[in-house]
Amino acid sequence: MTVMAYDLTGRTACVTGAASGIGRACAVLLAEAGATVHCADHDAPGLHETAALIKAAGGTAHTHTLDVTDRAQVTEAVATAAAATGTLDILAAIAGIMHDSPVLETRDEDLDRVLAVNFKGVLYACQEAARTMIAAGTRGSIVTMASGAVDTGGPGLLCYGAAKAAVVQLTKTLATEVGRHGIRVNAVAPGWIRTPMTTRHDESAQAHTESLMVRLAPLGRVGEPLDVAHAVLHLASDAAAFTTGQILRPNGGVAMPW
Ligand code: NAI
């Protein structure tokens, strides 16, 4: 195995949630590895910043302003991404939202919204990507974004954790169904990563949470978006050619499930 296994030259990737945080880091890294990256998000200014970063580094980026909860918009974006080469090689389904509410205070609309973005949004992208890959005979890679919440639980994590657990089940189920086409499907379950999602406006609350995470993590620090992007690159690339249905955990060692 050489570093050539990480070379994505000539491949087409679609990254949802690409306007910010982990999704942006993934889009930039996949482009640095040589892929043409289709960046999708509902935050148009953020998307254009990501595309500008990629282009400034000599990469190729396209933007798709969409809501991942709208199946038709996701279908159109994947079709557009696949139009140039006739296929999609990589999907990184990263868009997500955080929601924090105790079980006894959780309302139907909270659950519906979080499941719509964090689960159905991933499902729609996975379905379209897999259909496109199968039709073109492409031995592609699909990477979904779960969370350490599925390992540890925690107060307030009902909606978010349920959606991420559903993403894990989707990942394993799809991996068993499309493996015979040579398509791999894996999840990444990060620990605490410093992004706009986890950066609080209250600096002292932020410092308190981060110091707790640092104490819990054997590696003694919180994560950065690039830590997760490296995991996504690995799973997207030929370096992970014999890996499917797995959960990769860039979490500093906070959780060590079997
Ligand atoms: P972020 O808030 O920086 O990025 C999330 C992106 O998703 C944003 O660009 C946002 O505009 C986009 N998005 C949200 N709803 C959308 C919708 N309906 N349609 C299209 N785009 C939409 O958050 P971060 O931290 O980068 O999170 C990325 C993923 O990683 C999420 O799925 C999150 O659950 C997951 N994650 C994050 C962790 C962390 O500690 N930051 C830990 C574990 C998982």
Side-chain angles (χ1 to χ4, degrees):
M1 184 68 66
T2 71
V3 289
M4 292 304 290
Y6 290 95
D7 184 0
L8 302 181
T9 302
R11 309 225 181 143
T12 302
C14 180
V15 179
T16 73
S20 176
I22 292 168
R24 170 176 287 172
C26 290
V28 170
L29 192 64
L30 294 177
E32 279 177 13
T36 293
V37 181
H38 290 259
C39 304
D41 204 291
H42 64 178
D43 170 6
L47 266 185
H48 290 113
E49 280 176 34
T50 302
L53 286 171
I54 291 172
K55 288 173 185 169
T60 306
H62 303 275
T63 58
H64 305 264
T65 305
L66 57 74
D67 183 338
V68 293
T69 68
D70 185 323
R71 183 189 280 280
Q73 291 182 25
V74 173
T75 301
E76 189 186 339
V78 171
T80 306
T85 60
T87 194
L88 185 69
D89 300 283
I90 297 160
L91 168 70
I94 295 171
I97 53 173
M98 171 51 87
H99 179 79
D100 189 337
S101 69
V103 173
L104 301 189
E105 290 164 26
T106 296
R107 304 165 307 169
D108 282 1
E109 52 265 43
D110 300 328
L111 189 55
D112 291 347
R113 182 65 193 156
V114 179
L115 286 173
V117 178
N118 291 8
F119 175 56
K120 284 188 173 177
V122 176
L123 173 65
Y124 298 158
C126 286
Q127 288 176 319
E128 279 315 306
R131 283 187 189 121
T132 302
M133 290 170 183
I134 290 169
T138 301
R139 302 173 74 81
S141 172
I142 294 173
V143 184
T144 62
M145 194 53 55
S147 164
V150 300
D151 297 321
T152 57
L157 285 176
L158 171 68
C159 299
Y160 184 78
K164 294 301 187 181
V167 166
V168 169
Q169 191 58 44
L170 162 66
T171 303
K172 292 180 178 179
T173 305
L174 187 59
T176 63
E177 293 175 358
V178 298
R180 68 196 162 87
H181 296 285
I183 299 168
R184 299 178 297 102
V185 191
N186 293 285
V188 177
W192 187 270
I193 309 297
R194 193 181 286 136
T195 70
M197 180 182 279
T198 53
T199 304
R200 307 235 162 93
H201 295 301
D202 177 343
E203 280 183 21
S204 81
Q206 175 75 13
H208 174 75
T209 307
E210 289 204 353
S211 75
L212 178 67
M213 293 302 156
V214 166
R215 267 182 281 135
L216 287 174
L219 288 180
R221 67 173 176 87
V222 297
E224 299 294 339
L226 190 57
D227 292 313
V228 184
H230 279 131
V232 171
L233 171 62
H234 174 70
L235 292 172
S237 76
D238 293 347
F242 197 48
T243 301
T244 198
Q246 305 301 310
I247 306 174
L248 185 54
R249 295 177 166 87
N251 64 10
V254 167
M256 301 182 186
W258 286 94

